[in-house]
């Protein structure tokens, strides 16, 4: 390696928000649309139709959505804002349906609720909410079907049928989007060759672990690993064999770590292991266990036997004062020391 790892993989303090950032901006735009719509209808119902109670409820809904927007922007609590908006929208739709006695296109807003609900809550949380909302509208239609003129004829069937159809459509559309997102997220987080975490996912997990261990006041350790003389392996056996060696090393590393530890491939022959709740001495012993697991026997690839060893640098840190950059720099220094001492060894705490 010609360039120190710490320089090549240095990161800023901010983590990649990924899905949270995308969801934040989508929800932000959606809530603005809902707020403006509720305000417009409140003014129309107040000044044009003189429907004072309805206008007051819609204005109240507008205030609630604005407060949810402000809360989301200040605290970035998307989940809370989503629940407030969905519940308020559901209550407003049901109230409007009852207030106009299912007339004046009231069913349109019951259909619109399906979109709001699944968009903001997703399928897992949104489905039970929509079923409760559907049950409320069903109860109203059955209770007043003989008293409300708007429910005469085929209107009852059309309203309930539209709610079921649009609810199902919104559910499966959101489910498809979630499945597609999870597939993309998996591809973005996994190393394509080995299937373990890549650099991006490792950095995200690192920050989450750091925050958790800060609360517990527990140390953590970072182990940087390099396959020794990997270029020589590629030159002697070819890149296909080199790839298989990387896969074999990955499997041996995974077999030697605890379930809670995280193994990631940073690129090429470079790996990184995050050891949870691991202090001085214990971190070195765990890294030595990794070294022994990799070098226990040659790697057999396509009738060829390849002797493989690793060098490792270990850094132990206090999560309250040492982040990724500091830990990585320390481990990088120790890794180069291990290589300078002849490779196939562990240097560090």
């Amino acid at each position: 390696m010609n360039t120190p790892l710490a320089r090549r993989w240095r990161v800023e303090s901010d983590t990649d928000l990924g899905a949270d950032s995308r969801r934040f901006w989508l929800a932000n735009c959606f809530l603005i649309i809902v707020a403006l719509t509720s305000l417009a209808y409140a003014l129309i119902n107040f000044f044009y139709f003189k429907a004072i109670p309805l206008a007051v409820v819609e204005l109240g809904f507008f205030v609630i959505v604005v407060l949810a927007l402000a809360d989301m922007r200040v605290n970035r609590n998307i989940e809370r804002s989503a629940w407030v908006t969905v519940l308020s929208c559901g209550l407003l739709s049901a109230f409007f349906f009852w207030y106009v006695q299912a007339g004046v296109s009231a069913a349109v807003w019951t259909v619109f609720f399906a979109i709001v609900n699944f968009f903001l809550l997703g399928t897992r949380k949104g489905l039970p909410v929509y079923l409760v909302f559907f049950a409320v509208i069903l109860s109203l239609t059955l209770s007043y079907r003989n008293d409300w003129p708007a429910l005469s004829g085929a209107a009852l069937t059309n309203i309930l049928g539209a709610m079921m159809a649009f609810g199902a459509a919104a559910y499966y559309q959101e489910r498809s989007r979630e499945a597609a997102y999870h597939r993309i997220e998996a591809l973005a987080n996994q190393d394509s060759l080995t299937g373990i975490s890549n650099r991006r996912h490792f950095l995200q997990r690192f920050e989450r672990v750091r925050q958790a261990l800060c609360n517990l006041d527990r140390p953590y350790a970072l182990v940087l690993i390099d396959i020794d003389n990997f270029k020589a392996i590629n030159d002697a056996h070819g890149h296909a064999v080199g790839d298989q060696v990387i896969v074999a090393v990955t499997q041996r590393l995974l077999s030697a770590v605890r379930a809670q530890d995280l193994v990631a491939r940073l690129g090429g022959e470079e790996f990184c292991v995050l050891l949870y709740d691991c202090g001085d001495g214990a971190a070195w012993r765990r890294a030595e266990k990794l070294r022994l697991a990799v070098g226990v026997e040659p790697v057999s690839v396509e009738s060829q036997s390849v002797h493989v060893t690793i060098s490792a640098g270990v850094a132990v840190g206090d999560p309250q004062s040492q982040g990724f950059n500091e830990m990585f720099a320390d481990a990088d220094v120790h890794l180069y020391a291990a290589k300078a001492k002849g490779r196939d060894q562990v240097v560090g705490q």
Side-chain angles (χ1 to χ4, degrees), residues 191-323:
D191 174 62
S192 59
L193 177 62
T194 62
I196 62 174
S197 294
N198 59 15
R199 172 182 174 272
R200 173 182 180 273
H201 189 230
F202 180 82
L203 295 179
Q204 292 175 336
R205 288 284 298 274
F206 187 97
E207 287 302 319
R208 288 198 291 268
V209 170
R210 180 187 178 191
Q211 292 170 9
L213 292 179
C214 277
N215 298 330
L216 298 173
D217 194 24
R218 301 285 181 83
Y220 60 175
L222 190 66
V223 183
L224 291 187
I225 296 171
D226 228 25
I227 300 176
D228 295 327
N229 301 309
F230 185 72
K231 184 178 183 301
I233 294 175
N234 272 337
D235 292 342
H237 304 281
H239 289 281
V241 172
D243 287 346
Q244 292 303 308
V245 167
I246 290 175
V247 172
V249 169
T250 301
Q251 293 171 345
R252 293 181 182 184
L253 291 175
L254 291 173
S255 68
V257 297
R258 299 170 298 177
Q260 66 266 36
D261 297 328
L262 176 65
V263 180
R265 183 186 176 210
L266 301 182
E269 72 276 22
E270 303 155 1
F271 294 83
C272 196
V273 180
L274 176 59
L275 300 175
Y276 292 47
D277 192 14
C278 194
D280 293 343
W284 185 91
R285 289 191 295 272
R286 293 191 184 282
E288 178 67 6
K289 183 179 179 181
L290 297 176
R291 185 188 69 83
L292 294 174
V294 171
V296 64
E297 62 182 7
V299 175
S300 298
V301 181
E302 299 178 356
S303 73
Q304 301 182 62
S305 183
V306 183
H307 181 63
V308 181
T309 61
I310 61 171
S311 297
V314 183
V316 176
D318 175 4
Q320 295 184 356
S321 59
Q322 290 180 282

Side-chain angles (χ1 to χ4, degrees), residues 36-267:
L36 293 176
T37 302
S38 61
L39 177 61
Y41 274 95
L43 296 175
I44 292 172
N45 285 320
F46 185 86
F47 291 105
Y48 186 77
F49 293 110
K50 307 301 180 182
I52 309 301
L54 182 58
V56 170
V57 171
E58 289 172 333
L59 189 60
F61 178 59
F62 166 76
V63 173
I64 291 173
V65 174
V66 169
L67 291 176
L69 269 169
D71 177 65
M72 186 172 65
R73 291 203 171 192
V74 173
N75 301 312
R76 297 191 71 89
N77 193 327
I78 307 172
E79 193 73 14
R80 181 167 59 202
S81 299
W83 275 105
V84 169
T85 304
V86 167
L87 294 178
S88 301
C89 188
L91 291 173
L92 175 61
S93 298
F95 175 80
F96 180 66
F97 189 82
W98 170 82
Y99 182 80
V100 299
Q101 299 183 356
V104 197
S105 303
V108 172
W109 298 107
T110 63
V111 170
F112 178 69
F113 175 75
I115 302 173
V116 176
N117 174 66
F118 288 115
F119 180 87
L120 291 179
L121 295 185
T123 56
R124 184 173 63 86
K125 298 174 182 176
L127 182 58
V129 172
Y130 190 72
L131 291 177
V132 170
F133 177 75
F134 182 84
V136 170
I137 300 300
L138 177 62
S139 299
L140 289 174
T141 56
L142 293 179
S143 299
Y144 294 100
R145 66 183 184 278
N146 296 323
D147 301 323
W148 292 350
L151 293 179
S152 61
L156 176 61
T157 303
N158 290 335
I159 291 172
L160 299 180
M163 286 189 64
M164 288 188 288
F166 276 87
Y171 173 83
Y172 283 108
Q173 188 278 331
E174 181 62 19
R175 186 174 180 179
S176 299
R177 189 203 63 78
E178 290 173 349
Y181 176 79
H182 289 320
R183 288 194 296 268
I184 294 172
E185 188 71 6
L187 292 174
N189 288 335
Q190 291 180 352
D191 174 62
S192 59
L193 177 62
T194 62
I196 62 174
S197 294
N198 59 15
R199 172 182 174 272
R200 173 182 180 273
H201 189 230
F202 180 82
L203 295 179
Q204 292 175 336
R205 288 284 298 274
F206 187 97
E207 287 302 319
R208 288 198 291 268
V209 170
R210 180 187 178 191
Q211 292 170 9
L213 292 179
C214 277
N215 298 330
L216 298 173
D217 194 24
R218 301 285 181 83
Y220 60 175
L222 190 66
V223 183
L224 291 187
I225 296 171
D226 228 25
I227 300 176
D228 295 327
N229 301 309
F230 185 72
K231 184 178 183 301
I233 294 175
N234 272 337
D235 292 342
H237 304 281
H239 289 281
V241 172
D243 287 346
Q244 292 303 308
V245 167
I246 290 175
V247 172
V249 169
T250 301
Q251 293 171 345
R252 293 181 182 184
L253 291 175
L254 291 173
S255 68
V257 297
R258 299 170 298 177
Q260 66 266 36
D261 297 328
L262 176 65
V263 180
R265 183 186 176 210
L266 301 182

